[in-house]
Amino acid sequence: MWMQYPDIPELYSIDDQYLIGSDLLVKPVTSAGATTSHVLFPLADCWYDVDTMQRVELAGAPGSYVAKTVESGIDKIPVYQRGGSIIPRKLRLRRSSYLMINDPYTIYIALNNELKAEGTLYMDDETTFDHEKRDDYGVATFSSDLSSSIIVQNTVTLGNKSALQESKEERMIERIVLMGIATEPKQITLTTLSSATAIPMEFHYDEESKILVIRKPDVSALDQWTMNLKP
């Protein structure tokens, strides 16, 4: 925690919660029979519960933190996604990670207070060392900026010009989840490099939870595309 938030001295001694990377805050449940947990939330960012996808209600100065008691029953580990981050996940349960290679991605977008977010996805064949020997890899950079009407934009960087081009159809995105959007868009459209025509997208918006879901957008993480909203 202190490495990510060095300006909050109270976090220096904390050893019972941690960050995975910079975007997931985890509070392990280590006591038998525990039903609640005490979580320290840095206020430099906002936070979303990864299970409910709801924004955690916090109040205080941006340079400080808030201690909050949260539910953590036998089937709940408190995990929170940082506002301003975009995290790609594979959700299908398999017997091994090798069997998940061709599974599609779900993109989780957690908006910050400025209604922006960004994140990256590194891809290679997950089997050989071609990413080192032949630069056979790709990096998808996802960004969201509702102030510019951009739901999500994907920019792709390849290790070489032909990297992973044969596996585009195996790097598909099956769902995009946007957390923290205050109002329902009138329309969402998709534009790609291969087509100048804006394609209308189907979506579902829940006004109570402030969550927007785009199902089956039929786009690859290895292609460049943009989804725009019409407020």
Side-chain angles (χ1 to χ4, degrees), residues 30-170:
T30 57
S31 301
T35 58
T36 60
S37 294
H38 200 59
V39 183
L40 303 184
F41 292 96
L43 294 179
D45 297 296
C46 56
W47 300 91
Y48 295 81
D49 187 305
V50 299
D51 293 322
T52 65
M53 295 179 284
Q54 298 288 291
R55 179 166 171 164
V56 182
E57 295 298 329
L58 303 169
S64 62
Y65 72 96
V66 165
K68 190 177 182 70
T69 300
V70 301
E71 298 294 325
S72 59
I74 193 170
D75 58 350
K76 171 68 174 178
I77 297 176
V79 182
Y80 303 90
Q81 182 173 343
R82 182 181 62 83
S85 66
I86 298 178
I87 299 180
R89 295 168 58 187
K90 290 186 177 183
L91 302 181
R92 300 181 186 180
L93 300 179
R94 307 287 189 184
R95 289 175 292 174
S96 70
S97 58
Y98 179 79
L99 298 176
M100 300 170 66
I101 289 177
N102 296 328
D103 285 355
Y105 299 100
T106 294
I107 308 299
Y108 287 91
I109 305 171
L111 295 174
N112 63 14
N113 294 325
E114 289 73 42
L115 302 180
K116 297 179 180 181
E118 60 182 4
T120 59
L121 170 62
Y122 170 84
M123 295 165 282
D124 58 31
D125 64 15
E126 301 184 36
T127 304
T128 71
F129 286 94
D130 284 351
H131 61 291
E132 291 184 349
K133 297 177 180 178
R134 303 177 182 176
D135 289 333
D136 193 19
Y137 66 87
V139 178
T141 300
F142 301 106
S143 59
S144 180
D145 184 357
L146 295 198
S147 64
S148 299
S149 299
I150 299 175
I151 290 282
V152 59
Q153 183 177 62
N154 186 32
T155 304
V156 179
T157 303
L158 300 176
N160 64 68
K161 291 183 179 181
S162 59
L164 301 178
Q165 293 307 291
E166 295 181 358
S167 61
K168 277 188 177 184
E169 298 300 319
E170 299 163 359

